[in-house]
Amino acid sequence: MFKKLVLSFVFVSWLFVVRVHCEDPYVFFKWHVTFGNLSLVGVPQQVILINGKFPGPTINCSTNENIVVNVFNEINEPILFTWNGIRQRKNSWQDGRPGVNCPIQPGTNYTYKFQVKDQIGSFFYYPTTSLHRAAGGYGAINVHSRPKIPVPFDWPAEEFNVLIADWYIKSHSALKKILDGGKRTLRRPAGIIINDKSGKGDGKDEPLFTMQPGLTYRFRFCNVGLKTSLNVRFQDHDMKLVEIEGSHTVQYDYDSLDIHLGQCLSVLVTADQEPKDYYLVVYTRFRKPSLNATATIRYASTPDGMVVRPSAELPPPPPNDPPLAIAWSINQFRSFKRNLTASAARPNPQGSYRYGSINITRTIRIASSAGTVNGKIRYALNGISHEDTETPLKLAEYFGVADKVFEYNSMKDKPPDNLNRIVVKPNVLNGTYRNFVEIIFENSEKSIQSYHLSGYTFFAVAIESGKWSPKNRKDYNMIDAVSRYSIQVYPGSWAAILTAFDNAGMWNLRAQTLERNYLGQQLYISVLSPEKSLRDEYNIPETFPLCGIVEDMPMPPPAYTMF
Ligand SMILES: *[C@@H]1O[C@H](CO)[C@@H](O)[C@H](O)[C@H]1NC(C)=O
Ligand SMILES: *[C@@H]1O[C@H](CO)[C@@H](O)[C@H](O)[C@H]1NC(C)=O
Ligand SMILES: *[C@@H]1O[C@H](CO)[C@@H](O)[C@H](O)[C@H]1NC(C)=O
Ligand SMILES: *[C@@H]1O[C@H](CO)[C@@H](O)[C@H](O)[C@H]1NC(C)=O
Ligand SMILES: *[C@@H]1O[C@H](CO)[C@@H](O)[C@H](O)[C@H]1NC(C)=O
Ligand SMILES: *[C@@H]1O[C@H](CO)[C@@H](O)[C@H](O)[C@H]1NC(C)=O
Ligand SMILES: *[C@@H]1O[C@H](CO)[C@@H](O)[C@H](O)[C@H]1NC(C)=O
């Protein structure tokens, strides 16, 4: 009798969830994922295409819409996709990380369903399996404000997605072989690509985008590369920064902008110069010699319909040698402010919008390091180098067999004395639901790091050189820091973020550098709803693929009820 009652409650609550979803429109996509052969930096090579396209199709939607992507895996390797920056409220099931999802097997399809709840801004998707990201398979996600919500700038004439990346000529499987060998890293990229272009500034490229004189365009940039921070600029045109990773910003003009791995931002550019062709130039940062690539932007009407090629003189990159380059870049980070009066979907509906007045309940200091384990290169956070498990962590937890797969809190909340002693094991932190946490990323290494946290946006309150101490808290930006989903940490520096663990799920915190991520510089944060309520987390989707030790286990009764 009691059991029946519980079941019917579960049924009712399921209806409840479905009804809530139905209020918002659905957007459907069908993706065919295949291998293709493209010549992106002058050499034909294997790439991953989606519906025959490189980059993949743009997901264009509005706040709160439900996105349904039916992915057909037509390559001969298992694959997964993640949605970088999409918070997946109550729904880490759709995050597409090996710690949550069993990969989509070759010849099969899987349908991702998620809602872009309370979000606006620029995001992207990419494959998270193997080193597939090195072959492409990525694309843009644009989330617009809902129709009646005012946007703090005039509606642009058009939007252009610009996915920029460092690029290697070796195939993803050859690169994987190098990393699996454990003797060396990926070294230098062969070039830079801007969508599918890698112009050399010789005036020979077809235009990437066309602008009408006098009109204003929104360019949404994302750095989808593997290893390199990039700097973007236009010949003879300023960029008005309007959005960073889901927050409207105070609108300052920049002549060039640094975009680190995994980061996205939007700028407005007005076609107010002499009508001709211009270059968009992308430079690598913090490495010598600097690489560059160009893409041509055309004005639609030039005098007499003639094409006037861009000036061959490229505007110079900002200072590229540390420490000047780092000081320049930190200054630019400090100039980014959130527009506090712009209306848009709020990042943290639970009230951490006034984040400056919330008490911090936990401080997690995380330091990166590189070393070798059994003679092979590994990367670690506080000395733990994460290793994916055959049974996804989330599934092990859900089926009640977590203890057979991983151990919680093997990483401590502060760096060990000896960062060079690295242990390889699954790295899972136990987060407490609704804790307001401070995470300090510490970088005593020589290379820049860029981190991404799934499931949350966070306030990026400080980036400073030197070593962090509690005294630094008085210099945090506690008023108008940008709420975003990734942050860079310069060599010999630290960065501080604040966020509320108000989204139950199993969430990935990762170095966005592909080789570091692949070789262990990542972890998962398990945040469980203490009330086991569907208001806090959705149940496992009905047709969720199972693998590892849970593959043949009976599905447990729904963990969450309506109460
Ligand atoms: C791509 O095509 C070129 C010639 O069109 C061929 O030489 C090369 O082997 C192909 N590469 C792959 C990875 O299929
Ligand atoms: C993207 O969505 C927005 C908002 O719905 C719409 O105004 C715009 O035309 C769409 N863009 C494309 C290229 O479909
Ligand atoms: C696979 O695609 C078919 C046809 O579109 C669809 O009916 C089915 O639900 C999909 N299967 C999964 C697991 O998503
Ligand atoms: C901030 O947003 C408001 C409201 O949309 C807008 O009027 C204002 O111009 C914006 N301020 C800046 C500095 O961008
Ligand atoms: C851009 O790269 C080319 C080599 O591809 C180099 O010759 C040129 O000097 C670079 N330009 C700038 C401004 O750095
Ligand atoms: C935050 O902490 C201070 C000092 O410990 C305390 O006085 C205050 O009541 C706390 N505020 C909240 C909202 O808990
Ligand atoms: C995780 O943290 C919660 C709250 O602090 C605690 O109740 C729970 O026992 C912890 N779980 C593990 C496995 O450490």
Side-chain angles (χ1 to χ4, degrees):
M1 178 63 202
F2 177 69
K3 211 169 183 178
K4 218 169 158 189
L5 204 65
V6 170
L7 275 178
S8 66
F9 275 142
V10 168
F11 182 62
V12 169
S13 61
W14 179 77
L15 276 182
F16 173 76
V17 169
V18 168
R19 255 196 41 225
V20 169
H21 274 217
C22 277
E23 286 170 5
D24 296 300
Y26 279 74
V27 194
F28 294 92
F29 297 87
K30 196 178 248 189
W31 283 2
H32 293 275
V33 181
T34 58
F35 280 131
N37 186 346
L38 285 183
S39 187
L40 293 166
V41 290
V43 183
Q45 64 181 122
Q46 188 184 55
V47 296
I48 293 175
L49 305 176
I50 297 176
N51 296 347
K53 287 178 149 180
F54 183 102
T58 298
I59 294 183
N60 186 45
C61 58
S62 299
T63 304
N64 288 357
E65 283 180 351
N66 293 288
I67 312 299
V68 182
V69 191
N70 190 352
V71 178
F72 291 81
N73 180 358
E74 292 163 18
I75 65 172
N76 57 4
E77 295 170 35
I79 201 163
L80 281 175
F81 288 90
T82 196
W83 321 92
N84 208 64
I86 301 297
R87 277 200 306 270
Q88 307 291 4
R89 259 197 95 59
K90 311 175 194 179
N91 198 12
S92 68
W93 302 111
Q94 306 294 336
D95 200 35
R97 312 283 333 172
V100 175
N101 299 88
C102 303
I104 309 169
Q105 293 301 323
T108 71
N109 66 309
Y110 172 71
T111 308
Y112 289 93
K113 295 186 189 131
F114 55 89
Q115 196 183 13
V116 287
K117 181 87 181 135
D118 299 327
Q119 291 191 277
I120 56 111
S122 307
F123 311 88
F124 67 98
Y125 60 81
Y126 66 85
T128 56
T129 30
S130 183
L131 287 194
H132 290 138
R133 181 149 66 95
Y138 51 70
I141 306 177
N142 302 342
V143 184
H144 294 266
S145 293
R146 279 185 292 175
K148 290 198 187 88
I149 307 289
V151 173
F153 46 86
D154 290 338
W155 197 255
E158 208 177 322
E159 294 196 339
F160 300 127
N161 283 105
V162 195
L163 301 179
I164 55 177
D166 52 4
W167 193 259
Y168 289 75
I169 292 172
K170 288 197 169 73
S171 69
H172 69 93
S173 37
L175 295 174
K176 181 171 183 293
K177 215 172 274 168
I178 292 173
L179 295 187
D180 289 343
K183 294 295 174 214
R184 67 180 189 88
T185 62
L186 296 188
R187 310 239 164 106
R188 287 165 50 76
I192 300 172
I193 55 173
I194 306 173
N195 289 353
D196 58 349
K197 304 257 186 274
S198 60
K200 292 184 170 48
D202 54 11
K204 292 196 183 130
D205 300 324
E206 284 309 301
L208 183 60
F209 302 116
T210 300
M211 306 197 287
Q212 300 287 339
L215 299 185
T216 297
Y217 295 82
R218 179 176 186 167
F219 288 80
R220 295 180 186 252
F221 287 97
C222 294
N223 182 342
V224 298
L226 309 189
K227 199 164 168 163
T228 317
S229 294
L230 298 171
N231 179 273
V232 298
R233 69 186 303 166
F234 290 83
Q235 264 180 335
D236 299 334
H237 293 74
D238 275 347
M239 300 176 279
K240 188 184 286 299
L241 181 71
V242 293
E243 179 249 343
I244 296 177
E245 297 170 18
S247 288
H248 286 133
T249 58
V250 171
Q251 296 168 15
Y252 296 128
D253 289 332
Y254 294 86
D255 54 17
S256 82
L257 283 161
D258 278 353
I259 308 178
H260 305 279
L261 286 179
Q263 302 186 349
C264 298
L265 53 80
S266 304
V267 299
L268 300 180
V269 175
T270 300
D272 56 3
Q273 298 296 309
E274 180 196 334
K276 60 192 255 316
D277 286 358
Y278 294 90
Y279 285 129
L280 160 63
V281 196
V282 181
Y283 290 103
T284 58
R285 294 292 275 143
F286 316 123
R287 59 174 56 228
K288 276 183 112 169
S290 158
L291 297 172
N292 64 67
T294 60
T296 301
I297 312 292
R298 176 157 295 173
Y299 275 45
S301 50
T302 48
D304 317 322
M306 293 259 302
V307 169
V308 183
R309 291 299 186 187
S311 150
E313 200 172 311
L314 299 184
N320 202 33
D321 291 321
L324 206 56
I326 290 171
W328 186 97
S329 197
I330 291 185
N331 260 341
Q332 185 168 78
F333 166 83
R334 288 200 191 112
S335 73
F336 299 155
K337 311 271 182 208
R338 186 180 166 86
N339 181 340
L340 297 177
T341 54
S343 42
R346 292 279 181 243
N348 291 310
Q350 277 72 29
S352 60
Y353 182 56
R354 281 221 161 85
Y355 64 97
S357 56
I358 303 174
N359 286 343
I360 291 164
T361 37
R362 180 175 177 188
T363 295
I364 308 173
R365 287 172 51 203
I366 301 178
S368 62
S369 63
T372 54
V373 176
N374 300 330
K376 292 186 166 191
I377 297 172
R378 294 294 303 190
Y379 297 96
L381 296 171
N382 289 357
I384 309 288
S385 182
H386 173 79
E387 177 176 59
D388 283 330
T389 51
E390 201 193 335
T391 310
L393 309 166
K394 177 72 179 167
L395 285 176
E397 192 177 65
Y398 188 84
F399 278 77
V401 291
D403 57 336
K404 294 202 173 64
V405 175
F406 66 91
E407 148 195 14
Y408 289 95
N409 297 331
S410 48
M411 192 194 94
K412 302 291 169 252
D413 279 7
K414 63 180 173 55
D417 294 332
N418 182 1
L419 276 172
N420 296 326
R421 244 197 68 228
I422 291 176
V423 179
V424 178
K425 52 158 87 168
N427 193 357
V428 186
L429 282 190
N430 180 12
T432 306
Y433 189 57
R434 294 207 164 147
N435 259 9
F436 193 68
V437 297
E438 172 189 42
I439 301 177
I440 316 290
F441 294 104
E442 303 181 3
N443 183 8
S444 57
E445 299 186 77
K446 290 202 182 73
S447 58
I448 186 169
Q449 316 292 322
S450 182
Y451 289 97
H452 175 96
L453 176 60
S454 286
Y456 305 94
T457 45
F458 50 73
F459 296 96
V461 293
I463 297 181
E464 300 288 343
S465 53
K467 265 189 90 66
W468 179 85
S469 90
K471 286 200 298 271
N472 292 113
R473 289 194 180 118
K474 68 177 184 340
D475 298 322
Y476 287 0
N477 176 351
M478 293 306 248
I479 296 162
D480 55 3
V482 175
S483 166
R484 55 190 301 178
Y485 50 75
S486 58
I487 193 163
Q488 72 273 17
V489 195
Y490 301 92
S493 305
W494 55 270
I497 65 169
L498 301 177
T499 195
F501 282 160
D502 57 5
N503 193 12
M506 178 72 79
W507 302 112
N508 187 235
L509 172 63
R510 58 184 169 274
Q512 201 70 18
T513 318
L514 186 59
E515 62 191 355
R516 285 179 167 259
N517 181 297
Y518 182 74
L519 296 175
Q521 194 175 331
Q522 56 169 314
L523 57 81
Y524 284 84
I525 303 174
S526 162
V527 177
L528 294 171
S529 150
E531 272 122 60
K532 300 225 170 245
S533 161
L534 274 175
R535 266 170 314 196
D536 301 334
E537 184 172 11
Y538 298 149
N539 274 315
I540 191 169
E542 250 175 89
T543 53
F544 201 72
L546 302 178
C547 53
I549 59 170
V550 304
E551 186 167 2
D552 298 317
M553 286 173 68
M555 192 64 96
Y560 291 104
T561 64
M562 203 166 154
F563 305 101

